[in-house]
Short mmCIF file of all heavy atoms in Angstrom, two decimals:
data_model
loop_
_atom_site.label_atom_id
_atom_site.label_comp_id
_atom_site.label_asym_id
_atom_site.label_seq_id
_atom_site.Cartn_x
_atom_site.Cartn_y
_atom_site.Cartn_z
N PRO A 1 -150.38 -140.57 -25.90
CA PRO A 1 -149.51 -141.31 -26.81
C PRO A 1 -150.22 -142.52 -27.40
O PRO A 1 -151.04 -143.15 -26.73
CB PRO A 1 -148.35 -141.74 -25.92
CG PRO A 1 -148.37 -140.80 -24.75
CD PRO A 1 -149.81 -140.41 -24.58
N GLY A 2 -149.90 -142.83 -28.63
CA GLY A 2 -150.46 -144.02 -29.25
C GLY A 2 -151.72 -143.77 -30.07
O GLY A 2 -152.19 -144.67 -30.74
N ILE A 3 -152.27 -142.57 -30.01
CA ILE A 3 -153.45 -142.28 -30.82
C ILE A 3 -152.97 -142.07 -32.25
O ILE A 3 -152.07 -141.28 -32.50
CB ILE A 3 -154.18 -141.02 -30.32
CG1 ILE A 3 -154.75 -141.25 -28.93
CG2 ILE A 3 -155.29 -140.62 -31.30
CD1 ILE A 3 -155.39 -140.02 -28.31
N THR A 4 -153.58 -142.81 -33.16
CA THR A 4 -153.25 -142.63 -34.57
C THR A 4 -154.45 -142.03 -35.27
O THR A 4 -155.57 -142.13 -34.81
CB THR A 4 -152.87 -143.98 -35.22
OG1 THR A 4 -153.98 -144.88 -35.10
CG2 THR A 4 -151.65 -144.59 -34.55
N GLY A 5 -154.23 -141.40 -36.37
CA GLY A 5 -155.31 -140.73 -37.08
C GLY A 5 -155.54 -139.35 -36.51
O GLY A 5 -154.81 -138.86 -35.65
N ARG A 6 -156.56 -138.71 -37.00
CA ARG A 6 -156.88 -137.34 -36.59
C ARG A 6 -157.97 -137.38 -35.53
O ARG A 6 -158.94 -138.12 -35.65
CB ARG A 6 -157.35 -136.54 -37.79
CG ARG A 6 -157.72 -135.12 -37.46
CD ARG A 6 -157.58 -134.22 -38.67
NE ARG A 6 -158.07 -132.88 -38.41
CZ ARG A 6 -157.43 -131.96 -37.70
NH1 ARG A 6 -156.26 -132.24 -37.17
NH2 ARG A 6 -157.94 -130.77 -37.51
N LEU A 7 -157.83 -136.55 -34.50
CA LEU A 7 -158.80 -136.46 -33.41
C LEU A 7 -159.50 -135.11 -33.48
O LEU A 7 -158.84 -134.07 -33.55
CB LEU A 7 -158.09 -136.62 -32.07
CG LEU A 7 -158.97 -136.48 -30.83
CD1 LEU A 7 -159.82 -137.74 -30.67
CD2 LEU A 7 -158.12 -136.26 -29.60
N LEU A 8 -160.81 -135.14 -33.47
CA LEU A 8 -161.62 -133.93 -33.43
C LEU A 8 -162.34 -133.91 -32.09
O LEU A 8 -163.14 -134.80 -31.79
CB LEU A 8 -162.63 -133.93 -34.58
CG LEU A 8 -163.63 -132.77 -34.63
CD1 LEU A 8 -162.92 -131.42 -34.77
CD2 LEU A 8 -164.62 -132.99 -35.78
N TYR A 9 -162.04 -132.90 -31.29
CA TYR A 9 -162.61 -132.81 -29.94
C TYR A 9 -163.52 -131.59 -29.91
O TYR A 9 -163.07 -130.46 -30.05
CB TYR A 9 -161.48 -132.70 -28.94
CG TYR A 9 -161.90 -132.63 -27.49
CD1 TYR A 9 -162.96 -133.39 -27.01
CD2 TYR A 9 -161.22 -131.82 -26.59
CE1 TYR A 9 -163.34 -133.34 -25.68
CE2 TYR A 9 -161.60 -131.77 -25.26
CZ TYR A 9 -162.65 -132.52 -24.81
OH TYR A 9 -163.02 -132.46 -23.50
N LEU A 10 -164.82 -131.82 -29.74
CA LEU A 10 -165.84 -130.77 -29.74
C LEU A 10 -166.42 -130.67 -28.34
O LEU A 10 -166.92 -131.65 -27.81
CB LEU A 10 -166.94 -131.12 -30.74
CG LEU A 10 -166.46 -131.47 -32.15
CD1 LEU A 10 -167.55 -132.13 -32.95
CD2 LEU A 10 -165.95 -130.22 -32.84
N VAL A 11 -166.36 -129.46 -27.75
CA VAL A 11 -166.76 -129.31 -26.35
C VAL A 11 -167.36 -127.94 -26.12
O VAL A 11 -166.98 -126.96 -26.76
CB VAL A 11 -165.55 -129.56 -25.43
CG1 VAL A 11 -164.45 -128.55 -25.65
CG2 VAL A 11 -165.94 -129.64 -23.98
N GLY A 12 -168.31 -127.88 -25.22
CA GLY A 12 -168.90 -126.61 -24.83
C GLY A 12 -168.03 -125.89 -23.81
O GLY A 12 -167.49 -126.52 -22.90
N ALA A 13 -167.92 -124.60 -23.93
CA ALA A 13 -167.13 -123.81 -22.98
C ALA A 13 -167.71 -123.87 -21.58
O ALA A 13 -166.98 -123.73 -20.60
CB ALA A 13 -167.04 -122.36 -23.45
N ASP A 14 -169.03 -124.08 -21.48
CA ASP A 14 -169.69 -124.14 -20.18
C ASP A 14 -169.92 -125.57 -19.71
O ASP A 14 -170.77 -125.82 -18.85
CB ASP A 14 -171.02 -123.38 -20.22
CG ASP A 14 -170.83 -121.90 -20.48
OD1 ASP A 14 -169.71 -121.39 -20.27
OD2 ASP A 14 -171.80 -121.25 -20.91
N ASP A 15 -169.16 -126.51 -20.26
CA ASP A 15 -169.26 -127.92 -19.86
C ASP A 15 -168.84 -128.04 -18.40
O ASP A 15 -167.74 -127.64 -18.04
CB ASP A 15 -168.35 -128.75 -20.76
CG ASP A 15 -168.56 -130.24 -20.60
OD1 ASP A 15 -168.81 -130.70 -19.46
OD2 ASP A 15 -168.47 -130.95 -21.60
N THR A 16 -169.71 -128.57 -17.56
CA THR A 16 -169.39 -128.70 -16.14
C THR A 16 -168.67 -130.02 -15.84
O THR A 16 -168.16 -130.20 -14.73
CB THR A 16 -170.66 -128.62 -15.27
OG1 THR A 16 -171.58 -129.63 -15.69
CG2 THR A 16 -171.30 -127.25 -15.40
N LEU A 17 -168.62 -130.93 -16.80
CA LEU A 17 -167.92 -132.19 -16.61
C LEU A 17 -166.44 -132.10 -16.99
O LEU A 17 -165.60 -132.81 -16.44
CB LEU A 17 -168.58 -133.31 -17.39
CG LEU A 17 -170.03 -133.63 -17.00
CD1 LEU A 17 -170.60 -134.72 -17.90
CD2 LEU A 17 -170.11 -134.04 -15.55
N ILE A 18 -166.16 -131.25 -17.96
CA ILE A 18 -164.79 -131.06 -18.44
C ILE A 18 -164.54 -129.55 -18.45
O ILE A 18 -164.95 -128.86 -19.38
CB ILE A 18 -164.59 -131.66 -19.84
CG1 ILE A 18 -164.99 -133.14 -19.83
CG2 ILE A 18 -163.15 -131.48 -20.30
CD1 ILE A 18 -165.20 -133.73 -21.20
N ASP A 19 -163.89 -129.05 -17.41
CA ASP A 19 -163.73 -127.60 -17.29
C ASP A 19 -162.54 -127.10 -18.10
O ASP A 19 -161.82 -127.87 -18.74
CB ASP A 19 -163.63 -127.20 -15.81
CG ASP A 19 -162.41 -127.75 -15.10
OD1 ASP A 19 -161.37 -128.03 -15.76
OD2 ASP A 19 -162.47 -127.88 -13.86
N ALA A 20 -162.34 -125.79 -18.07
CA ALA A 20 -161.29 -125.16 -18.88
C ALA A 20 -159.90 -125.68 -18.51
O ALA A 20 -159.05 -125.86 -19.40
CB ALA A 20 -161.36 -123.65 -18.73
N VAL A 21 -159.66 -125.92 -17.24
CA VAL A 21 -158.35 -126.44 -16.82
C VAL A 21 -158.13 -127.83 -17.42
O VAL A 21 -157.05 -128.13 -17.97
CB VAL A 21 -158.23 -126.49 -15.28
CG1 VAL A 21 -156.98 -127.22 -14.85
CG2 VAL A 21 -158.24 -125.08 -14.71
N GLN A 22 -159.15 -128.67 -17.35
CA GLN A 22 -159.03 -130.02 -17.91
C GLN A 22 -158.88 -129.97 -19.43
O GLN A 22 -158.11 -130.75 -20.00
CB GLN A 22 -160.23 -130.86 -17.51
CG GLN A 22 -160.25 -131.17 -16.03
CD GLN A 22 -161.58 -131.73 -15.57
OE1 GLN A 22 -162.64 -131.27 -15.98
NE2 GLN A 22 -161.52 -132.73 -14.71
N ARG A 23 -159.60 -129.08 -20.08
CA ARG A 23 -159.45 -128.94 -21.53
C ARG A 23 -158.01 -128.54 -21.87
O ARG A 23 -157.43 -129.04 -22.84
CB ARG A 23 -160.44 -127.92 -22.09
CG ARG A 23 -161.85 -128.43 -22.14
CD ARG A 23 -162.76 -127.54 -22.95
NE ARG A 23 -162.80 -126.16 -22.52
CZ ARG A 23 -163.64 -125.68 -21.60
NH1 ARG A 23 -164.50 -126.49 -21.00
NH2 ARG A 23 -163.62 -124.40 -21.28
N GLY A 24 -157.44 -127.65 -21.08
CA GLY A 24 -156.05 -127.27 -21.30
C GLY A 24 -155.10 -128.44 -21.13
O GLY A 24 -154.14 -128.60 -21.89
N GLN A 25 -155.36 -129.27 -20.13
CA GLN A 25 -154.52 -130.45 -19.90
C GLN A 25 -154.63 -131.43 -21.06
O GLN A 25 -153.63 -132.01 -21.50
CB GLN A 25 -154.93 -131.14 -18.60
CG GLN A 25 -154.61 -130.33 -17.36
CD GLN A 25 -155.25 -130.89 -16.09
OE1 GLN A 25 -156.27 -131.58 -16.15
NE2 GLN A 25 -154.65 -130.57 -14.95
N ILE A 26 -155.84 -131.60 -21.57
CA ILE A 26 -156.05 -132.48 -22.72
C ILE A 26 -155.32 -131.93 -23.93
O ILE A 26 -154.61 -132.66 -24.64
CB ILE A 26 -157.56 -132.66 -23.01
CG1 ILE A 26 -158.22 -133.45 -21.88
CG2 ILE A 26 -157.78 -133.34 -24.36
CD1 ILE A 26 -159.74 -133.42 -21.90
N GLN A 27 -155.48 -130.63 -24.18
CA GLN A 27 -154.82 -129.98 -25.31
C GLN A 27 -153.30 -130.14 -25.21
O GLN A 27 -152.63 -130.50 -26.18
CB GLN A 27 -155.19 -128.49 -25.34
CG GLN A 27 -154.54 -127.69 -26.43
CD GLN A 27 -155.12 -127.93 -27.80
OE1 GLN A 27 -156.17 -128.55 -27.96
NE2 GLN A 27 -154.45 -127.46 -28.80
N ASP A 28 -152.75 -129.90 -24.03
CA ASP A 28 -151.31 -130.02 -23.83
C ASP A 28 -150.83 -131.45 -24.04
O ASP A 28 -149.78 -131.68 -24.65
CB ASP A 28 -150.92 -129.54 -22.43
CG ASP A 28 -151.10 -128.05 -22.23
OD1 ASP A 28 -151.29 -127.31 -23.23
OD2 ASP A 28 -151.08 -127.62 -21.05
N ALA A 29 -151.57 -132.42 -23.52
CA ALA A 29 -151.19 -133.82 -23.67
C ALA A 29 -151.23 -134.26 -25.13
O ALA A 29 -150.33 -134.97 -25.60
CB ALA A 29 -152.10 -134.71 -22.83
N LEU A 30 -152.25 -133.83 -25.87
CA LEU A 30 -152.33 -134.18 -27.28
C LEU A 30 -151.17 -133.56 -28.07
O LEU A 30 -150.56 -134.21 -28.92
CB LEU A 30 -153.67 -133.74 -27.86
CG LEU A 30 -154.88 -134.52 -27.38
CD1 LEU A 30 -156.17 -133.84 -27.81
CD2 LEU A 30 -154.85 -135.96 -27.87
N ALA A 31 -150.87 -132.31 -27.78
CA ALA A 31 -149.76 -131.63 -28.45
C ALA A 31 -148.43 -132.30 -28.11
O ALA A 31 -147.60 -132.54 -29.00
CB ALA A 31 -149.73 -130.16 -28.07
N ALA A 32 -148.23 -132.62 -26.84
CA ALA A 32 -146.98 -133.26 -26.42
C ALA A 32 -146.80 -134.63 -27.06
O ALA A 32 -145.67 -135.04 -27.36
CB ALA A 32 -146.94 -133.38 -24.89
N ALA A 33 -147.90 -135.33 -27.29
CA ALA A 33 -147.85 -136.65 -27.89
C ALA A 33 -147.73 -136.59 -29.41
O ALA A 33 -147.55 -137.62 -30.06
CB ALA A 33 -149.09 -137.46 -27.51
N GLY A 34 -147.85 -135.40 -29.96
CA GLY A 34 -147.77 -135.26 -31.41
C GLY A 34 -149.01 -135.74 -32.13
O GLY A 34 -148.97 -136.05 -33.32
N THR A 35 -150.12 -135.79 -31.41
CA THR A 35 -151.37 -136.25 -31.99
C THR A 35 -151.95 -135.19 -32.91
O THR A 35 -152.08 -134.02 -32.53
CB THR A 35 -152.38 -136.58 -30.89
OG1 THR A 35 -151.81 -137.56 -30.03
CG2 THR A 35 -153.68 -137.10 -31.46
N ASP A 36 -152.33 -135.59 -34.12
CA ASP A 36 -153.00 -134.69 -35.05
C ASP A 36 -154.40 -134.46 -34.52
O ASP A 36 -155.21 -135.39 -34.46
CB ASP A 36 -153.04 -135.33 -36.44
CG ASP A 36 -153.67 -134.43 -37.49
OD1 ASP A 36 -153.85 -133.23 -37.25
OD2 ASP A 36 -153.98 -134.96 -38.58
N HIS A 37 -154.69 -133.25 -34.09
CA HIS A 37 -155.97 -133.00 -33.44
C HIS A 37 -156.45 -131.57 -33.65
O HIS A 37 -155.67 -130.68 -34.02
CB HIS A 37 -155.87 -133.27 -31.94
CG HIS A 37 -155.04 -132.25 -31.21
ND1 HIS A 37 -153.68 -132.26 -31.25
CD2 HIS A 37 -155.41 -131.20 -30.45
CE1 HIS A 37 -153.22 -131.24 -30.54
NE2 HIS A 37 -154.25 -130.58 -30.05
N GLU A 38 -157.72 -131.40 -33.42
CA GLU A 38 -158.34 -130.08 -33.40
C GLU A 38 -159.31 -130.07 -32.22
O GLU A 38 -160.14 -130.97 -32.09
CB GLU A 38 -159.10 -129.80 -34.69
CG GLU A 38 -159.79 -128.45 -34.70
CD GLU A 38 -160.57 -128.19 -35.98
OE1 GLU A 38 -160.74 -129.12 -36.80
OE2 GLU A 38 -161.01 -127.04 -36.16
N MET A 39 -159.21 -129.06 -31.38
CA MET A 39 -160.15 -128.89 -30.28
C MET A 39 -160.98 -127.65 -30.59
O MET A 39 -160.43 -126.58 -30.81
CB MET A 39 -159.42 -128.71 -28.94
CG MET A 39 -160.39 -128.50 -27.77
SD MET A 39 -159.58 -128.23 -26.18
CE MET A 39 -158.97 -129.86 -25.82
N VAL A 40 -162.29 -127.84 -30.61
CA VAL A 40 -163.20 -126.74 -30.86
C VAL A 40 -164.03 -126.53 -29.59
O VAL A 40 -164.69 -127.45 -29.13
CB VAL A 40 -164.13 -127.03 -32.06
CG1 VAL A 40 -165.07 -125.86 -32.32
CG2 VAL A 40 -163.32 -127.37 -33.30
N VAL A 41 -163.96 -125.32 -29.05
CA VAL A 41 -164.69 -124.98 -27.84
C VAL A 41 -165.78 -123.99 -28.22
O VAL A 41 -165.49 -122.91 -28.75
CB VAL A 41 -163.75 -124.38 -26.77
CG1 VAL A 41 -164.54 -124.05 -25.51
CG2 VAL A 41 -162.60 -125.33 -26.45
N TYR A 42 -167.03 -124.36 -27.95
CA TYR A 42 -168.18 -123.52 -28.31
C TYR A 42 -168.56 -122.63 -27.12
O TYR A 42 -168.98 -123.15 -26.08
CB TYR A 42 -169.36 -124.40 -28.73
CG TYR A 42 -169.07 -125.17 -29.99
CD1 TYR A 42 -168.75 -126.52 -29.94
CD2 TYR A 42 -169.11 -124.54 -31.22
CE1 TYR A 42 -168.47 -127.23 -31.10
CE2 TYR A 42 -168.82 -125.24 -32.39
CZ TYR A 42 -168.51 -126.58 -32.32
OH TYR A 42 -168.22 -127.28 -33.46
N PRO A 43 -168.42 -121.32 -27.27
CA PRO A 43 -168.77 -120.39 -26.18
C PRO A 43 -170.24 -120.50 -25.80
O PRO A 43 -171.10 -120.72 -26.65
CB PRO A 43 -168.48 -119.01 -26.77
CG PRO A 43 -167.58 -119.25 -27.94
CD PRO A 43 -167.93 -120.61 -28.45
N GLY A 44 -170.51 -120.36 -24.51
CA GLY A 44 -171.89 -120.36 -24.03
C GLY A 44 -172.62 -121.67 -24.23
O GLY A 44 -173.85 -121.71 -24.27
N THR A 45 -171.87 -122.76 -24.32
CA THR A 45 -172.45 -124.05 -24.66
C THR A 45 -172.12 -125.07 -23.57
O THR A 45 -171.00 -125.11 -23.08
CB THR A 45 -171.90 -124.52 -26.02
OG1 THR A 45 -172.20 -123.50 -26.99
CG2 THR A 45 -172.53 -125.81 -26.47
N GLU A 46 -173.11 -125.91 -23.23
CA GLU A 46 -172.95 -126.89 -22.16
C GLU A 46 -172.55 -128.26 -22.70
O GLU A 46 -172.34 -128.43 -23.90
CB GLU A 46 -174.26 -126.99 -21.38
CG GLU A 46 -174.64 -125.68 -20.69
CD GLU A 46 -175.97 -125.77 -19.98
OE1 GLU A 46 -176.20 -126.78 -19.28
OE2 GLU A 46 -176.78 -124.85 -20.13
N HIS A 47 -172.53 -129.25 -21.82
CA HIS A 47 -172.02 -130.57 -22.12
C HIS A 47 -172.79 -131.30 -23.23
O HIS A 47 -172.18 -131.82 -24.15
CB HIS A 47 -172.00 -131.43 -20.85
CG HIS A 47 -171.45 -132.80 -21.06
ND1 HIS A 47 -170.12 -133.03 -21.29
CD2 HIS A 47 -172.06 -134.00 -21.10
CE1 HIS A 47 -169.93 -134.32 -21.46
NE2 HIS A 47 -171.08 -134.95 -21.34
N VAL A 48 -174.07 -131.37 -23.17
CA VAL A 48 -174.84 -132.17 -24.14
C VAL A 48 -175.48 -131.29 -25.22
O VAL A 48 -176.62 -131.51 -25.61
CB VAL A 48 -175.89 -133.07 -23.44
CG1 VAL A 48 -175.23 -134.13 -22.62
CG2 VAL A 48 -176.83 -132.25 -22.58
N PHE A 49 -174.72 -130.35 -25.73
CA PHE A 49 -175.24 -129.38 -26.70
C PHE A 49 -175.76 -130.02 -27.98
O PHE A 49 -176.53 -129.42 -28.71
CB PHE A 49 -174.17 -128.34 -27.04
CG PHE A 49 -173.03 -128.85 -27.89
CD1 PHE A 49 -173.12 -128.82 -29.27
CD2 PHE A 49 -171.89 -129.35 -27.30
CE1 PHE A 49 -172.07 -129.28 -30.06
CE2 PHE A 49 -170.83 -129.82 -28.07
CZ PHE A 49 -170.92 -129.78 -29.46
N PHE A 50 -175.35 -131.23 -28.28
CA PHE A 50 -175.68 -131.88 -29.55
C PHE A 50 -177.09 -132.47 -29.58
O PHE A 50 -177.64 -132.69 -30.64
CB PHE A 50 -174.64 -132.98 -29.83
CG PHE A 50 -174.42 -133.25 -31.28
CD1 PHE A 50 -173.49 -132.52 -31.99
CD2 PHE A 50 -175.12 -134.25 -31.93
CE1 PHE A 50 -173.27 -132.77 -33.34
CE2 PHE A 50 -174.91 -134.51 -33.27
CZ PHE A 50 -173.98 -133.76 -33.98
N TRP A 51 -177.68 -132.75 -28.41
CA TRP A 51 -178.95 -133.47 -28.34
C TRP A 51 -180.15 -132.55 -28.25
O TRP A 51 -180.31 -131.83 -27.26
CB TRP A 51 -178.96 -134.43 -27.15
CG TRP A 51 -178.06 -135.60 -27.34
CD1 TRP A 51 -177.97 -136.39 -28.44
CD2 TRP A 51 -177.12 -136.09 -26.41
NE1 TRP A 51 -177.03 -137.36 -28.25
CE2 TRP A 51 -176.48 -137.21 -27.00
CE3 TRP A 51 -176.74 -135.73 -25.12
CZ2 TRP A 51 -175.51 -137.93 -26.37
CZ3 TRP A 51 -175.76 -136.46 -24.49
CH2 TRP A 51 -175.17 -137.54 -25.11
N PRO A 52 -181.03 -132.61 -29.27
CA PRO A 52 -182.27 -131.82 -29.22
C PRO A 52 -183.12 -132.24 -28.01
O PRO A 52 -182.96 -133.32 -27.46
CB PRO A 52 -182.98 -132.18 -30.52
CG PRO A 52 -181.93 -132.75 -31.41
CD PRO A 52 -180.91 -133.39 -30.50
N ASP A 53 -184.01 -131.37 -27.64
CA ASP A 53 -184.95 -131.62 -26.55
C ASP A 53 -184.27 -131.77 -25.19
O ASP A 53 -184.82 -132.42 -24.30
CB ASP A 53 -185.84 -132.84 -26.84
CG ASP A 53 -186.64 -132.66 -28.13
OD1 ASP A 53 -187.08 -131.52 -28.40
OD2 ASP A 53 -186.78 -133.64 -28.88
N THR A 54 -183.06 -131.22 -25.06
CA THR A 54 -182.41 -131.14 -23.76
C THR A 54 -182.17 -129.66 -23.48
O THR A 54 -182.05 -128.86 -24.42
CB THR A 54 -181.06 -131.88 -23.72
OG1 THR A 54 -180.15 -131.24 -24.61
CG2 THR A 54 -181.22 -133.35 -24.08
N PRO A 55 -182.10 -129.27 -22.22
CA PRO A 55 -181.87 -127.85 -21.90
C PRO A 55 -180.56 -127.30 -22.47
O PRO A 55 -180.46 -126.11 -22.76
CB PRO A 55 -181.85 -127.82 -20.38
CG PRO A 55 -182.61 -129.02 -19.95
CD PRO A 55 -182.34 -130.06 -21.01
N ALA A 56 -179.58 -128.15 -22.67
CA ALA A 56 -178.27 -127.70 -23.15
C ALA A 56 -178.18 -127.61 -24.67
O ALA A 56 -177.18 -127.12 -25.20
CB ALA A 56 -177.19 -128.64 -22.63
N PHE A 57 -179.20 -128.05 -25.39
CA PHE A 57 -179.14 -128.07 -26.86
C PHE A 57 -178.81 -126.70 -27.41
O PHE A 57 -179.38 -125.69 -27.01
CB PHE A 57 -180.47 -128.56 -27.44
CG PHE A 57 -180.48 -128.60 -28.94
CD1 PHE A 57 -179.66 -129.48 -29.63
CD2 PHE A 57 -181.30 -127.76 -29.66
CE1 PHE A 57 -179.67 -129.53 -31.02
CE2 PHE A 57 -181.33 -127.80 -31.05
CZ PHE A 57 -180.51 -128.69 -31.72
N ASN A 58 -177.84 -126.67 -28.34
CA ASN A 58 -177.43 -125.43 -28.99
C ASN A 58 -177.37 -125.71 -30.49
O ASN A 58 -176.44 -126.36 -30.97
CB ASN A 58 -176.07 -124.99 -28.44
CG ASN A 58 -175.58 -123.70 -29.04
OD1 ASN A 58 -175.63 -123.50 -30.25
ND2 ASN A 58 -175.07 -122.83 -28.19
N GLN A 59 -178.35 -125.21 -31.21
CA GLN A 59 -178.46 -125.51 -32.65
C GLN A 59 -177.25 -125.04 -33.44
O GLN A 59 -176.73 -125.78 -34.28
CB GLN A 59 -179.73 -124.87 -33.22
CG GLN A 59 -179.98 -125.21 -34.68
CD GLN A 59 -180.40 -126.66 -34.88
OE1 GLN A 59 -181.35 -127.12 -34.25
NE2 GLN A 59 -179.71 -127.38 -35.74
N ALA A 60 -176.76 -123.83 -33.17
CA ALA A 60 -175.62 -123.31 -33.92
C ALA A 60 -174.37 -124.16 -33.68
O ALA A 60 -173.64 -124.48 -34.63
CB ALA A 60 -175.37 -121.86 -33.55
N ALA A 61 -174.12 -124.52 -32.43
CA ALA A 61 -172.96 -125.36 -32.12
C ALA A 61 -173.12 -126.73 -32.76
O ALA A 61 -172.17 -127.29 -33.31
CB ALA A 61 -172.78 -125.48 -30.61
N ARG A 62 -174.33 -127.27 -32.69
CA ARG A 62 -174.57 -128.59 -33.29
C ARG A 62 -174.34 -128.55 -34.80
O ARG A 62 -173.70 -129.46 -35.36
CB ARG A 62 -175.98 -129.07 -33.00
CG ARG A 62 -176.25 -130.44 -33.59
CD ARG A 62 -177.65 -130.88 -33.32
NE ARG A 62 -177.83 -132.24 -33.81
CZ ARG A 62 -178.91 -132.66 -34.41
NH1 ARG A 62 -179.93 -131.86 -34.57
NH2 ARG A 62 -179.00 -133.89 -34.82
N ASP A 63 -174.84 -127.53 -35.46
CA ASP A 63 -174.65 -127.43 -36.91
C ASP A 63 -173.17 -127.35 -37.27
O ASP A 63 -172.71 -128.01 -38.21
CB ASP A 63 -175.39 -126.20 -37.46
CG ASP A 63 -176.90 -126.35 -37.43
OD1 ASP A 63 -177.40 -127.47 -37.18
OD2 ASP A 63 -177.59 -125.32 -37.62
N ASP A 64 -172.42 -126.54 -36.53
CA ASP A 64 -170.99 -126.42 -36.79
C ASP A 64 -170.28 -127.74 -36.50
O ASP A 64 -169.45 -128.20 -37.29
CB ASP A 64 -170.38 -125.30 -35.95
CG ASP A 64 -168.90 -125.13 -36.24
OD1 ASP A 64 -168.57 -124.54 -37.29
OD2 ASP A 64 -168.08 -125.63 -35.43
N ALA A 65 -170.62 -128.36 -35.38
CA ALA A 65 -169.99 -129.63 -35.01
C ALA A 65 -170.28 -130.70 -36.06
O ALA A 65 -169.37 -131.45 -36.46
CB ALA A 65 -170.49 -130.08 -33.63
N TRP A 66 -171.52 -130.77 -36.49
CA TRP A 66 -171.90 -131.79 -37.48
C TRP A 66 -171.12 -131.57 -38.78
O TRP A 66 -170.64 -132.54 -39.39
CB TRP A 66 -173.39 -131.77 -37.70
CG TRP A 66 -173.92 -132.94 -38.46
CD1 TRP A 66 -174.60 -132.92 -39.62
CD2 TRP A 66 -173.78 -134.33 -38.11
NE1 TRP A 66 -174.91 -134.20 -40.02
CE2 TRP A 66 -174.41 -135.09 -39.11
CE3 TRP A 66 -173.19 -134.99 -37.04
CZ2 TRP A 66 -174.46 -136.48 -39.09
CZ3 TRP A 66 -173.23 -136.38 -37.02
CH2 TRP A 66 -173.86 -137.10 -38.03
N ALA A 67 -170.98 -130.32 -39.21
CA ALA A 67 -170.22 -130.02 -40.43
C ALA A 67 -168.76 -130.45 -40.27
O ALA A 67 -168.16 -131.00 -41.20
CB ALA A 67 -170.32 -128.54 -40.76
N ARG A 68 -168.19 -130.21 -39.09
CA ARG A 68 -166.81 -130.62 -38.84
C ARG A 68 -166.65 -132.14 -38.82
O ARG A 68 -165.66 -132.68 -39.33
CB ARG A 68 -166.32 -130.03 -37.52
CG ARG A 68 -166.12 -128.53 -37.58
CD ARG A 68 -165.81 -127.97 -36.18
NE ARG A 68 -165.79 -126.54 -36.15
CZ ARG A 68 -164.71 -125.81 -36.37
NH1 ARG A 68 -163.55 -126.38 -36.64
NH2 ARG A 68 -164.79 -124.48 -36.31
N ILE A 69 -167.62 -132.83 -38.25
CA ILE A 69 -167.58 -134.29 -38.21
C ILE A 69 -167.65 -134.86 -39.61
O ILE A 69 -166.86 -135.74 -40.00
CB ILE A 69 -168.74 -134.84 -37.34
CG1 ILE A 69 -168.51 -134.50 -35.88
CG2 ILE A 69 -168.89 -136.36 -37.54
CD1 ILE A 69 -169.75 -134.68 -35.00
N LEU A 70 -168.57 -134.35 -40.42
CA LEU A 70 -168.70 -134.84 -41.79
C LEU A 70 -167.45 -134.55 -42.60
O LEU A 70 -167.01 -135.40 -43.39
CB LEU A 70 -169.93 -134.23 -42.44
CG LEU A 70 -171.27 -134.68 -41.88
CD1 LEU A 70 -172.41 -133.91 -42.55
CD2 LEU A 70 -171.46 -136.18 -42.03
N ALA A 71 -166.84 -133.37 -42.41
CA ALA A 71 -165.61 -133.03 -43.12
C ALA A 71 -164.48 -133.98 -42.71
O ALA A 71 -163.68 -134.42 -43.56
CB ALA A 71 -165.23 -131.58 -42.88
N LEU A 72 -164.39 -134.28 -41.43
CA LEU A 72 -163.36 -135.19 -40.94
C LEU A 72 -163.53 -136.58 -41.57
O LEU A 72 -162.57 -137.19 -42.06
CB LEU A 72 -163.42 -135.30 -39.42
CG LEU A 72 -162.48 -136.31 -38.78
CD1 LEU A 72 -161.03 -135.88 -38.92
CD2 LEU A 72 -162.83 -136.54 -37.34
N LEU A 73 -164.76 -137.07 -41.59
CA LEU A 73 -165.02 -138.40 -42.13
C LEU A 73 -164.81 -138.45 -43.65
O LEU A 73 -164.44 -139.49 -44.19
CB LEU A 73 -166.43 -138.84 -41.77
CG LEU A 73 -166.68 -139.07 -40.27
CD1 LEU A 73 -168.16 -139.37 -40.03
CD2 LEU A 73 -165.78 -140.16 -39.73
N ALA A 74 -165.04 -137.33 -44.32
CA ALA A 74 -164.87 -137.27 -45.77
C ALA A 74 -163.40 -137.16 -46.18
O ALA A 74 -163.04 -137.52 -47.30
CB ALA A 74 -165.65 -136.09 -46.35
N GLY A 75 -162.59 -136.65 -45.23
CA GLY A 75 -161.21 -136.34 -45.54
C GLY A 75 -160.28 -137.46 -45.50
O GLY A 75 -159.26 -137.61 -45.97
#
């Protein structure tokens, strides 16, 4: 409750810090609060998928995430 504006939540499906149960809880809480949000879960992707030169880096997920971030900021 209390979040204003649009929230874009980008997460890897294989994130070991925020598992599927927790993602569901976050999704449910955002929906219950009426928060305008989008949750994007990238299959086969780990927690730090956005950072090059890390074992978890995923170029396809990063490209999609970056496009979504830019669209959100432009909108």
Side-chain angles (χ1 to χ4, degrees):
I3 295 175
T4 60
R6 180 155 173 76
L7 177 75
L8 176 61
Y9 182 38
L10 308 166
V11 63
D14 296 341
D15 190 323
T16 57
L17 298 177
I18 305 165
D19 64 26
V21 171
Q22 292 167 318
R23 286 192 304 272
Q25 292 169 336
I26 292 167
Q27 178 75 12
D28 292 347
L30 290 169
T35 302
D36 183 13
H37 70 283
E38 179 182 10
M39 179 182 287
V40 181
V41 181
Y42 295 102
T45 303
E46 298 177 45
H47 181 71
V48 293
F49 72 89
F50 209 87
W51 289 313
D53 301 322
T54 65
F57 180 65
N58 181 314
Q59 184 71 54
R62 181 181 184 219
D63 290 349
D64 182 78
W66 192 239
R68 289 173 188 270
I69 292 165
L70 292 176
L72 175 68
L73 294 174

